[in-house]
Amino acid sequence: MKRVVFAILLCLPATAADADLILQNGRIVTVDAAFRVAEAIAVKGGRITAIGSSAEILKGERGLRTKVVDLGGKTVLPGLIDAHVHALEAGLSEFRGSLPVLDSIVAIQNYVRVAARSRPKGGWIVVPRTLPPRLKEMRFPTKQDLDVTTDHPVAFDGSYVWAANSLALKMSGITRDTPNPAGGEIVKGPDGEPNGILRNASQLLKGVARAETFSEEDKVAALAEMLKLYASAGLTTVGDRAVTPAEVAVFEKLKSRQQLPVRVVMTWRINAARPVEEVVSEIRASSWTTNQGDDWLRFGTFKVTLDGGQSVGTAYQRMPYGSFGRQLYGQTDPEARGTLFIDAQKLYRIMKAARDKGWQLTAHVQGGGAIDALLDAFERLDREKPIAPSRSHVMHGSFMSEEALDRMQRMGVLVDVQPGWLYFDVPALKRVFGLENMRYFFPLRSYMDRGIIVAGGSDHMIGHEKNGAVNAFNPFFNMWASITRRTREGEVVYPQERITRQEALKMWTIWAAYLQFGEKTRGSIEPGKFADLVVIDRDYFNCAEDEIRRIEPVATIVNGRVVSGRL
Ligand SMILES: [Zn+2]
């Protein structure tokens, strides 16, 4: 028997071409410069070794140990990249139990009623974080809404803005005479009494458990679970957009156990709400910088949070929130424009310190005023030394303007966008600002026409289900949203900003890789690159447009290994 095997080995061509895996008879969308579609691909040692026709690849790359898979005409894409997630936070959000879908005030009330049944009288009920613009009623809940139980204090966690029921207000001693805390507001109803909405004032609630506590091992397990869910959605790399030193340790632990199912590029978010000297000295003392690490886990970007969020009415805008802001966010001042957390000089000093350490720079900016402030800082740095080589970028940049687009183009600034918000948030936001003031809300076509590199991201932070999560991290849904610009009410938002399927795919592959300095090894299917691939159940380019969001991965391959699904 031994002799027979030996004889066969002698008859085979050079073992150098002995692929680990051949996928043949498929539609392999390479996303290379020519955007070729090939039939077959060979993989060895975690890398792509050859691409071509099925006949060529089988002839040239097949060896004795090669696993050959007939794709039966299925489509293969480069492994998808979500440039913007919050993996650990999302992993922990359903680590101990699944979260309900809270898409209306009625659903919130049901949640409270059910919770009240199993909780002793007087025990707090905290409604998990939900974004008011996504509630069917498009308004912020008040104490009346939460008074479905009178035996339990209830709090609704809207992050920056909270709401409390009557008992919670009473137990916390909050009355019409309670002074507003610094920078916060106890919102009053027409009768002059607190209506339950606490803007940046949730610290007044006494005895509410703010966050569950988790051990280090819980965190490692939750992160591992979340990363597996990313892989099953077709993602092979994610950009985690806000890590702290403690979170970096969790990622490193997972990596040291060789349990990273996908590649991770980390963004260090520094707490800039401190004296500038303190922030700058932390940057200087840190040993981290862009591209430090390896192909599984590395540092990407340095980040600060420059303004609030459009989901809580604190994004720093060029225009006021107006009267609908009161209903949606409990915003009592119709002239309010949101909050800019860092002034110009401080931002410049922080960014300069990070730039001098070799960091790629970004800031969370949603409102137009915040975008302009970040571009001011970038321009100042750019005058000292061109900023383009650092691939620094605008994060979110929801409310763009033509002028901001021009400035980005001129400096070579990139952008990390969340087109899923077109679907989820435009219905409420257009009632706040007017659709006419949202001409440049995620202006994808304008970016592309200017040659601005656009990376696609979900900003996933809560929930494990890829379509129901906040934010939905199903990359095919997000590509569909980029292509159609359709809202959940069915409206197409500025159709002139639509992009092609090819461009949307690039946002979740090669352009996201480019933003992460990873375009030489990831983001397309080319010989020498990592074998990061996703086999899908329908033809991305030829299926009906509305089918795109329903595409399901059949198998996700990272570094040549099937990490989700099967071949
Ligand atoms: Zn984010």
Side-chain angles (χ1 to χ4, degrees):
M1 188 64 193
K2 229 178 210 165
R3 207 175 300 156
V4 176
V5 173
F6 190 54
I8 290 169
L9 282 172
L10 282 180
C11 298
L12 282 166
T15 50
D18 191 356
D20 299 331
L21 174 68
I22 289 175
L23 304 179
Q24 58 111 1
N25 187 26
R27 281 180 54 78
I28 318 245
V29 180
T30 60
V31 193
D32 63 4
F35 226 91
R36 272 190 306 155
V37 177
E39 257 180 8
I41 175 179
V43 171
K44 187 181 170 81
R47 301 248 180 188
I48 296 159
T49 50
I51 297 159
S53 71
S54 296
E56 275 164 16
I57 297 296
L58 288 171
K59 184 163 180 281
E61 309 295 324
R62 185 183 203 163
L64 252 194
R65 329 170 288 109
T66 306
K67 176 177 172 167
V68 178
V69 175
D70 183 343
L71 293 168
K74 282 200 188 69
T75 298
V76 181
L77 304 176
L80 300 172
I81 301 169
D82 188 325
H84 194 135
V85 300
H86 299 278
L88 182 57
E89 184 185 354
L92 290 170
S93 70
E94 295 200 81
F95 183 63
R96 292 204 179 122
S98 57
L99 285 174
V101 177
L102 298 175
D103 58 359
S104 67
I105 289 178
V106 174
I108 290 168
Q109 290 173 323
N110 287 335
Y111 174 86
V112 172
R113 280 193 199 98
V114 171
R117 266 181 237 143
S118 60
R119 213 151 300 186
K121 282 188 182 182
W124 278 90
I125 296 170
V126 179
V127 181
R129 185 174 297 181
T130 301
L131 309 180
R134 297 186 187 175
L135 296 175
K136 286 202 181 80
E137 297 85 351
M138 291 192 207
R139 63 179 180 81
F140 208 92
T142 60
K143 68 178 176 188
Q144 283 85 2
D145 297 315
L146 302 177
D147 276 343
V148 288
T149 171
T150 48
D151 296 331
H152 301 81
V154 179
F156 169 87
D157 174 3
S159 77
Y160 184 82
V161 188
W162 284 50
N165 74 347
S166 298
L167 184 59
L169 293 172
K170 193 174 161 207
M171 283 171 61
S172 306
I174 299 170
T175 69
R176 62 189 299 153
D177 302 319
T178 307
N180 288 328
E185 184 183 7
I186 300 163
V187 180
K188 310 286 187 342
D191 58 357
E193 293 294 325
N195 68 0
I197 298 175
L198 302 168
R199 292 184 55 80
N200 197 23
S202 64
Q203 70 275 17
L204 299 178
L205 295 173
K206 293 203 179 98
V208 57
R210 245 146 234 291
E212 291 179 272
T213 50
F214 297 95
S215 70
E216 179 90 353
E217 276 310 305
D218 286 345
K219 289 180 185 170
V220 173
L223 180 62
E225 189 183 349
M226 195 64 246
L227 296 179
K228 274 187 207 147
L229 291 170
Y230 289 147
S232 66
L235 298 167
T236 57
T237 300
V238 294
D240 193 297
R241 292 306 235 156
V243 296
T244 58
E247 289 170 5
V248 172
V250 178
F251 276 105
E252 279 173 345
K253 199 169 240 181
L254 202 56
K255 183 183 173 236
S256 70
R257 295 179 190 172
Q258 298 188 308
Q259 285 173 352
L260 283 175
V262 297
R263 305 179 198 279
V264 179
V265 181
M266 298 179 290
T267 293
W268 179 29
R269 178 174 60 180
I270 203 161
N271 169 15
R274 294 177 292 163
V276 64
E277 289 74 22
E278 213 177 301
V279 181
V280 165
S281 58
E282 188 179 351
I283 295 166
R284 292 200 180 125
S286 167
S287 59
W288 300 338
T289 190
T290 297
N291 290 332
Q292 190 182 325
D294 64 14
D295 294 313
W296 285 98
L297 182 64
R298 66 166 59 202
F299 282 103
T301 323
F302 172 89
K303 170 190 179 184
V304 295
T305 298
L306 195 44
D307 72 342
Q310 63 196 35
S311 55
V312 287
T314 53
Y316 184 64
Q317 296 287 18
R318 301 185 192 95
M319 64 269 188
Y321 279 83
S323 54
F324 199 80
R326 181 178 187 108
Q327 166 175 341
L328 194 62
Y329 309 117
Q331 173 66 266
T332 52
D333 174 8
E335 293 306 312
R337 287 173 52 200
T339 315
L340 192 71
F341 296 128
I342 309 170
D343 69 51
Q345 181 61 14
K346 182 177 178 182
L347 179 64
Y348 165 75
R349 286 187 58 194
I350 292 171
M351 287 297 191
K352 182 174 161 53
R355 195 268 309 268
D356 290 348
K357 287 276 301 233
W359 281 103
Q360 174 186 57
L361 309 175
T362 196
H364 162 108
V365 286
Q366 291 194 354
I371 295 169
D372 296 343
L374 177 64
L375 293 177
D376 288 346
F378 280 176
E379 253 165 18
R380 221 170 136 184
L381 294 171
D382 189 55
R383 277 196 292 273
E384 297 165 5
K385 188 169 104 180
I387 200 168
S390 68
R391 303 188 188 180
S392 293
H393 48 273
V394 167
M395 176 180 280
H396 309 305
S398 315
F399 290 84
M400 265 295 145
S401 67
E402 196 148 10
E403 194 208 348
L405 286 162
D406 289 343
R407 295 170 79 188
M408 290 170 70
Q409 180 180 16
R410 202 164 56 234
M411 287 187 280
V413 167
L414 290 57
V415 66
D416 153 15
V417 296
Q418 286 63 49
W421 297 355
L422 286 157
Y423 178 82
F424 287 113
D425 293 333
V426 167
L429 293 174
K430 75 172 190 191
R431 286 166 169 85
V432 177
F433 300 111
L435 197 57
E436 66 280 7
N437 289 314
M438 297 180 69
R439 167 64 186 83
Y440 292 103
F441 190 76
F442 293 106
L444 301 180
R445 176 84 270 138
S446 296
Y447 283 132
M448 280 159 212
D449 289 348
R450 283 173 170 79
I452 295 168
I453 299 280
V454 185
S458 60
D459 203 5
H460 173 227
M461 56 182 101
I462 308 168
H464 286 190
E465 203 280 308
K466 67 182 176 184
N467 295 308
V470 177
N471 293 284
F473 59 92
N474 175 357
F476 297 103
F477 161 77
N478 287 309
M479 286 191 259
W480 169 86
S482 309
I483 295 160
T484 64
R485 296 181 69 85
R486 204 172 275 287
T487 72
R488 61 190 161 89
E489 291 180 329
E491 185 180 8
V492 176
V493 188
Y494 289 102
Q496 60 270 48
E497 293 293 345
R498 288 176 44 132
I499 57 166
T500 65
R501 296 185 194 205
Q502 207 179 94
E503 288 163 333
L505 181 58
K506 284 177 159 183
M507 284 168 58
W508 264 266
T509 54
I510 193 70
W511 287 338
Y514 185 87
L515 181 136
Q516 297 173 336
F517 288 96
E519 79 282 3
K520 291 203 170 72
T521 52
R522 302 183 276 116
S524 64
I525 300 178
E526 296 181 77
K529 284 198 169 183
F530 291 126
D532 292 0
L533 310 162
V534 57
V535 183
I536 55 177
D537 70 345
R538 45 207 108 167
D539 183 343
Y540 173 78
F541 282 101
N542 297 304
C543 67
E545 200 169 74
D546 271 337
E547 286 286 295
I548 295 171
R549 62 188 294 193
R550 285 184 266 279
I551 291 174
E552 287 293 330
V554 174
T556 307
I557 300 167
V558 180
N559 216 50
R561 200 170 69 82
V562 177
V563 295
S564 173
R566 62 175 55 134
L567 284 173

